[in-house]
Amino acid sequence: MSGGEVAGILVAVFWAILVSFLAVALVRLAQTLRATTKLVSDVTEQAVPLLADASDAVRSAQTQIDRVDSIASDVQEVTSNASALSSTVASTFGGPLVKVAAFGYGVRRAIGGRGKDAPAKEPRRTVIVGRPLPGARRARRANRNQRD
């Protein structure tokens, strides 16, 4: 055997090993593609009913939103009517009622008012911080604390 023949045999052996590795890689790639295809088909079978359910839920939600919108517009109309009624009642009865109340207050004040001989009411006392209490109030407070 000459050097060229040995080189040819070595190239053929390396070529065969390379082809074997490529064949194994292609077989594994084919298996991966089959598994991926099966996975995609399973996902598709499960996704279609889920999408149909989701579509039904969206339609139902849209129907409910339409109902709520209708109710909200009715409530707005009722509110505006109540506001108009309230302002009408206030303008109709408000002025006269204020006048009647003022007249009643004046009459009470005139009838129950003090005369020239009546003593003036004693003004209310205010509490000043740091000022001692008068003796009578101190005694009442002390008695109250003793009972408790």
Side-chain angles (χ1 to χ4, degrees):
M1 266 210 233
S2 69
E5 291 176 348
V6 172
I9 291 177
L10 284 176
V11 169
V13 168
F14 285 124
W15 183 254
I17 292 173
L18 179 65
V19 169
S20 317
F21 281 129
L22 288 175
V24 169
L26 285 174
V27 167
R28 288 193 178 165
L29 182 63
Q31 290 174 350
T32 304
L33 285 175
R34 268 188 248 120
T36 304
T37 303
K38 184 177 183 317
L39 179 67
V40 168
S41 67
D42 290 345
V43 167
T44 302
E45 287 175 8
Q46 292 176 1
V48 169
L50 288 175
L51 289 175
D53 291 344
S55 176
D56 291 341
V58 168
R59 277 193 215 102
S60 174
Q62 182 62 37
T63 303
Q64 295 300 324
I65 287 173
D66 291 342
R67 288 181 185 169
V68 168
D69 188 34
S70 171
I71 290 170
S73 66
D74 291 343
V75 167
Q76 184 179 7
E77 184 179 339
V78 167
T79 303
S80 66
N81 289 343
S83 175
L85 179 64
S86 172
S87 63
T88 301
V89 167
S91 66
T92 303
F93 297 115
L97 284 178
V98 169
K99 290 177 184 177
V100 167
F103 179 74
Y105 176 74
V107 168
R108 267 186 293 146
R109 183 82 177 195
I111 291 174
R114 60 187 170 131
K116 293 179 184 175
D117 299 332
K121 288 186 179 178
E122 188 174 317
R124 292 183 61 122
R125 294 185 183 184
T126 58
V127 175
I128 300 174
V129 178
R131 183 174 169 194
L133 293 174
R137 288 182 64 191
R138 251 188 263 135
R140 277 187 283 177
R141 184 170 285 174
N143 289 338
R144 187 175 29 189
N145 290 340
Q146 288 175 356
R147 281 186 272 161
D148 293 340

